[in-house]
Amino acid sequence: MYINNSVIPMLRRKAGLPAADVRGTITSHRARSTIASRLYNAKEPMTLFELQA
């Protein structure tokens, strides 16, 4: 809860990003999901087992 209510808003303001976008509020879960998707779909992708670890 601390990360979503304090850290993410602070980083978002420093980066000049809005609190929400078309998909909703920016949260730690969305960040983790986005990073996992990018690593899986990269030029040299990670396997699902590597992502789980």
Side-chain angles (χ1 to χ4, degrees), residues 1-45:
M1 196 167 227
Y2 171 76
I3 291 173
N4 286 330
N5 293 330
S6 298
V7 177
I8 297 216
M10 178 192 59
L11 294 173
R12 178 189 49 75
R13 283 190 300 273
K14 285 187 177 223
L17 298 173
D21 60 12
V22 295
R23 295 181 66 199
T25 305
I26 297 170
T27 64
S28 59
H29 175 75
R30 283 201 40 212
R32 184 183 67 196
S33 177
T34 299
I35 290 168
S37 295
R38 287 187 163 204
L39 290 171
Y40 183 75
N41 294 316
K43 206 174 202 181
E44 295 181 26

